[in-house]
């Protein structure tokens, strides 16, 4: 058996790279390759891990390595240090140790070769894993203390700079700070101005702007976001909530929290409005008064009527805009509208929204029209006739497969006859060309008959299941109160729906269904 080479970049490696010591993985690969040549080892594969995760669950290549080691696929694993294999908790360390021990897979490093069957090597290996974990904890505490000290001293320690700033190295110091990007700063000021003061209208009044209106205004003006994508309402809210713009920075605003759910550790990053804040070593874009005013306005806005996270749209994932192709989404009722509407998620699209309940009613009415339509398209056919057709097609498929296998055997034999000298090169090429053509014709015929067989099976299944499913849906739909169940019932018979509305309803005619629904059934296209 051959050997596996495992390469992983650590935090210390990144620091070394920043000092100009070269790319870590390339340097380690060269050293381990030289070691394998010196020891006469055959390298069967090289796994490179570019993530510096604390646990095995965050390292997909390490997971693959352990599975293959436990299956006994490798004689040994080459790695720069034992610490590269596991620096996680005792559970991870035990997993690694057991995998190598029970599969009797060797661990080869430039300093030492560990033989799991040797008692002393096993103890030394486990001791190294334990010490690597302690070292990791020590390094992590030191780094965290340094980060907290730098944060409280005003240095910017986050990975990327928010919109309106760029991250720059402070001359003469190790820390980073923020520098204002003038073009982006103008947009930040404009966002806070629209939110806190509104915009002067022709009649002399000021129109109040929320996150959705600000989003639409920026997209109408073609203001570029940092990602070059259209602005979203959530990004506007994040800007309005970010104290960086008034000169402060946050610590552990979205601290990672771990929970045990179903036997697995699940990580979440909830927002903490009461996290620690300090004055940063950078200039603010808006005044502190303006920022605080924005927070007061936001706190004074009414909460949505229904804050439940349960599904509230029975047409979720089904209705698409016929103009731009985007998924239609539910917009809850507000002070102007007393009902939820279905609207296109694209703020630049001119497709007009309609009440969600009205669209839902029209979908069910359209399904009622399907029953006589599809009964006409599918004339009565006895079960015996369908079975006879399928039997004939299955026999044809079996015969073609037999001929195809025989042709493949003949094709393989031509190579043997060439090697034995029975065929000269010209005879071999002619014979091979004939058999290749015959093989291609049989494969094409097999594909055609299998397609026809599958089409008939689909028709029979649709005939047997589709109409009864629609009839059951129409009978039971309005009796079901659970929105998720309604959505599941619709998805069972509908593939998707195209929605189009070009004219707004006249006053007093809000319940008029002046829109078009093109409903695509979830059945085979070739009936």
């Amino acid at each position: 058996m051959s050997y596996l080479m495992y390469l992983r970049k650590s935090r210390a490696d990144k620091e070394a790279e920043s000092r100009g010591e070269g790319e870590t993985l390339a340097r380690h690969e060269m050293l381990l390759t030289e070691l394998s040549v010196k020891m006469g080892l055959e390298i069967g594969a090289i796994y490179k891990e570019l993530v510096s995760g604390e646990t095995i669950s965050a390292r997909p290549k390490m997971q693959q390595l352990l599975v293959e080691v436990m299956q006994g696929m490798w004689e040994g694993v080459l790695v720069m240090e034992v610490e590269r294999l596991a620096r996680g908790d005792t559970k991870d360390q035990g997993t690694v140790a057991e995998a190598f021990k029970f599969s009797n897979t060797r661990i080869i490093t430039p300093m030492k070769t560990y033989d799991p069957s040797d008692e002393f090597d096993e103890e030394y290996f486990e001791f190294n894993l334990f010490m690597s974990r302690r070292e990791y904890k020590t390094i992590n505490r030191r780094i965290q203390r340094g980060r907290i000290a730098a944060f409280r001293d005003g240095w910017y320690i986050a990975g990327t700079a928010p919109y309106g700033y760029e991250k720059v190295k402070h001359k003469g110091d190790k820390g980073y700070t923020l520098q204002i990007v003038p073009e982006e700063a103008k947009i930040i000021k404009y966002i806070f101005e629209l939110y806190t003061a509104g915009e002067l209208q022709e009649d002399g009044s000021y129109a109040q702007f929320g996150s959705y209106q600000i989003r639409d205004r920026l997209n109408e003006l073609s203001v570029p976001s940092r990602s070059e994508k259209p602005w979203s309402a959530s990004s506007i809210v994040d800007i309005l909530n970010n104290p960086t713009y008034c000169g402060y920075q946050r610590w552990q605003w979205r601290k990672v929290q771990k929970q045990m759910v179903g036997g697995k550790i699940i990580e979440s990053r909830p927002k903490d409005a009461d996290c620690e804040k300090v004055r940063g070593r950078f200039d603010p874009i808006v005044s502190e008064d303006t920022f605080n005013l924005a927070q007061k306005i936001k706190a004074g806005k009414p909460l949505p009527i229904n804050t439940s996270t349960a599904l509230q749209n029975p047409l979720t994932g089904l209705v698409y805009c016929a103009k731009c192709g985007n998924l239609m989404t539910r917009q809850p009722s507000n002070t102007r509208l007393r009902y939820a509407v279905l609207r296109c998620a694209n703020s630049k699209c001119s497709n007009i929204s309609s009440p969600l309940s009205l669209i839902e009613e029209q979908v069910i009415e359209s399904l009622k029209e399907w029953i006589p339509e599809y009964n006409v398209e599918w004339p009565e056919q006895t079960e015996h006739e369908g079975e006879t057709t399928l039997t004939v097609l299955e026999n044809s498929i079996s015969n073609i497969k037999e001929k195809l296998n025989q042709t493949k055997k003949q094709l393989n034999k031509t190579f043997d006859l060439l090697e034995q000298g029975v065929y000269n090169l010209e005879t071999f090429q002619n014979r091979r060309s004939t058999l290749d053509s015959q093989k291609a014709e049989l494969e094409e015929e097999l594909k055609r008959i299998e397609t026809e067989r599958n089409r008939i099976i689909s028709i029979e299944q649709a005939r047997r299941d589709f109409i009864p499913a629609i009839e059951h849906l129409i009978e039971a739909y309005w009796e079901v109160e659970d929105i998720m169940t309604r959505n599941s019932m619709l998805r069972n018979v509908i593939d998707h729906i195209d929605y189009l509305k070009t004219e707004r309803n006249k006053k007093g005619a809000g319940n008029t269904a002046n829109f078009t629904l093109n409903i695509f059934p979830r059945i085979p296209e070739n009936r």
Side-chain angles (χ1 to χ4, degrees):
M1 292 188 297
S2 56
Y3 289 74
L4 171 69
M5 185 185 296
Y6 178 71
L7 305 169
R8 183 175 71 85
K9 185 182 294 186
S10 68
R11 184 178 287 108
D13 296 327
K14 295 179 180 179
E15 294 174 358
E17 289 176 3
S18 66
R19 296 193 298 268
E21 296 184 16
E23 209 284 319
T24 301
L25 296 187
R27 189 173 69 255
H28 287 181
E29 183 177 354
M30 181 183 67
L31 292 173
L32 292 178
T33 301
E34 291 176 354
L35 178 63
S36 67
V37 172
K38 182 179 178 181
M39 299 179 66
L41 307 178
E42 179 187 350
I43 303 299
I46 300 176
Y47 291 168
K48 297 181 180 181
E49 200 88 76
L50 299 179
V51 294
S52 56
E54 177 185 350
T55 62
I56 292 176
S57 61
R59 296 157 57 191
K61 288 296 182 182
M62 186 62 194
Q63 296 173 33
Q64 183 178 352
L65 180 151
L66 289 176
V67 170
E68 294 176 358
V69 165
M70 286 187 283
Q71 292 174 347
M73 291 179 57
W74 305 104
E75 183 74 21
V77 174
L78 280 79
V79 64
M80 282 299 296
E81 304 155 332
V82 170
E83 292 83 352
R84 305 276 168 171
L85 295 175
R87 257 187 168 171
D89 55 21
T90 53
K91 181 180 178 181
D92 279 356
Q93 292 176 359
T95 300
V96 172
E98 287 183 0
F100 282 89
K101 177 181 178 181
F102 293 122
S103 63
N104 201 26
T105 304
R106 294 198 300 164
I107 301 171
I108 301 170
T109 73
M111 298 298 295
K112 178 177 172 56
T113 296
Y114 298 86
D115 184 354
S117 62
D118 185 287
E119 181 180 350
F120 295 102
D121 278 0
E122 179 188 353
E123 290 181 357
Y124 192 52
F125 173 61
E126 292 177 352
F127 176 73
N128 276 349
L129 290 180
F130 171 73
M131 292 304 296
S132 69
R133 177 63 180 173
R134 287 196 61 185
E135 181 186 8
Y136 172 81
K137 288 290 188 181
T138 302
I139 293 173
N140 194 47
R141 281 195 299 268
R142 187 179 71 245
I143 290 174
Q144 290 302 313
R145 284 198 299 267
R147 284 170 56 85
I148 293 173
F151 164 78
R152 289 175 178 166
D153 200 26
W155 299 109
Y156 190 76
I157 61 172
T160 57
Y163 185 87
Y165 290 101
E166 63 177 340
K167 188 177 178 180
V168 295
K169 188 74 175 289
H170 195 270
K171 292 182 178 180
D173 290 295
K174 293 183 179 181
Y176 286 85
T177 186
L178 295 177
Q179 182 173 299
I180 293 177
V181 179
E183 295 78 11
E184 294 181 353
K186 292 178 182 177
I187 305 304
I188 296 297
K189 291 179 180 179
Y190 185 53
I191 290 172
F192 274 92
E193 181 181 338
L194 288 177
Y195 192 76
T196 58
E199 189 174 59
L200 184 63
Q201 305 297 297
E202 293 181 358
D203 59 0
S205 63
Y206 279 86
Q208 188 70 38
F209 277 68
S211 57
Y212 283 95
Q213 290 79 12
I214 296 175
R215 174 204 64 185
D216 293 341
R217 174 58 58 85
L218 295 181
N219 289 331
E220 287 172 3
L221 297 175
S222 298
V223 175
S225 65
R226 185 164 286 178
S227 64
E228 301 297 331
K229 295 180 180 179
W231 287 85
S232 64
S234 60
S235 62
I236 301 299
V237 173
D238 287 341
I239 287 174
L240 294 170
N241 288 339
N242 194 345
T244 303
Y245 295 114
C246 68
Y248 288 85
Q249 55 182 359
R250 300 172 287 194
W251 174 255
Q252 293 188 335
W253 175 57
R254 301 195 66 178
K255 184 180 179 180
V256 175
Q257 293 186 0
K258 299 180 181 180
Q259 288 181 316
M260 184 69 73
V261 179
K264 294 183 179 180
I265 297 177
I266 305 298
E267 293 186 354
S268 61
R269 298 182 62 205
K271 298 177 181 179
D272 181 10
D274 298 324
C275 64
E276 183 180 356
K277 302 179 183 68
V278 299
R279 174 70 71 176
R281 291 175 177 251
F282 51 85
D283 295 329
I285 294 178
V286 299
S287 68
E288 198 167 337
D289 290 339
T290 300
F291 180 81
N292 290 335
L293 177 58
Q295 307 316 301
K296 290 180 180 179
I297 294 174
K298 183 168 64 66
K301 287 183 177 293
L303 292 175
I305 295 175
N306 188 350
T307 58
S308 172
T309 58
L311 186 67
Q312 300 179 54
N313 179 11
L315 302 177
T316 293
L318 287 173
V319 186
Y320 290 81
C321 175
K323 286 193 172 184
C324 68
N326 274 339
L327 191 66
M328 303 285 287
T329 59
R330 175 184 180 274
Q331 179 177 333
S333 61
N334 52 34
T335 54
R336 184 172 62 87
L337 298 174
R338 297 298 178 184
Y339 49 82
V341 299
L342 207 63
R343 63 180 182 85
C344 179
N346 181 5
S347 60
K348 293 184 177 181
C349 183
S350 59
N351 207 353
I352 301 171
S353 61
S354 291
L356 173 59
S357 59
L358 185 59
I359 298 176
E360 184 182 13
E361 291 173 4
Q362 291 302 308
V363 169
I364 302 302
E365 290 301 315
S366 298
L367 292 184
K368 291 180 181 179
E369 299 174 3
W370 278 9
I371 297 176
E373 176 184 345
Y374 282 101
N375 277 330
V376 170
E377 291 194 17
W378 289 333
E380 288 296 327
Q381 182 182 22
T382 65
E383 184 178 350
H384 175 70
E385 290 174 340
E387 289 180 355
T388 302
T389 303
L390 286 176
T391 300
V392 172
L393 291 175
E394 291 290 357
N395 288 337
S396 297
I397 290 173
S398 178
N399 291 334
I400 293 174
K401 285 183 176 179
E402 186 176 346
K403 291 180 181 179
L404 186 59
N405 289 332
Q406 185 65 30
T407 303
K408 289 178 180 179
K409 290 179 181 179
Q410 291 175 342
L411 191 57
N412 290 333
K413 195 170 183 179
T414 58
F415 289 91
D416 295 336
L417 293 174
L418 176 64
E419 292 175 354
Q420 295 169 9
V422 178
Y423 282 172
N424 58 29
L425 184 59
E426 182 180 358
T427 304
F428 165 75
Q429 290 177 339
N430 290 337
R431 183 61 176 157
R432 182 187 177 187
S433 176
T434 301
L435 291 172
D436 279 339
S437 298
Q438 185 177 337
K439 176 173 170 284
E441 290 175 2
L442 288 170
E443 288 175 339
E444 185 65 29
E445 181 68 8
L446 178 63
K447 181 180 179 182
R448 185 184 67 79
I449 295 179
E450 285 182 334
T451 301
E452 178 66 13
R453 186 268 313 271
N454 295 337
R455 186 184 72 84
I456 292 177
I457 290 175
S458 298
I459 291 175
E460 291 302 318
Q461 183 178 358
R463 186 199 313 278
R464 185 173 60 252
D465 301 336
F466 186 66
I467 292 299
I470 296 178
E471 291 174 339
H472 172 71
L473 184 150
I474 293 172
E475 180 182 351
Y477 188 82
W478 297 115
E479 301 297 325
V480 175
E481 296 184 359
D482 182 64
I483 299 300
M484 185 172 293
T485 303
R486 285 189 180 183
N487 182 252
S488 178
M489 293 170 68
L490 292 172
R491 283 176 177 272
N492 190 40
V493 298
I494 298 175
D495 183 75
H496 67 280
I497 303 170
D498 286 344
Y499 167 91
L500 179 64
K501 182 174 179 178
T502 57
E503 295 184 4
R504 296 188 180 277
N505 292 61
K506 294 181 180 180
K507 189 174 183 180
N511 288 326
T512 303
N514 59 340
F515 50 77
T516 302
L517 297 178
N518 192 5
I519 305 178
F520 295 82
R522 189 177 289 278
I523 59 174
E525 294 182 1
N526 297 321
R527 294 190 297 273

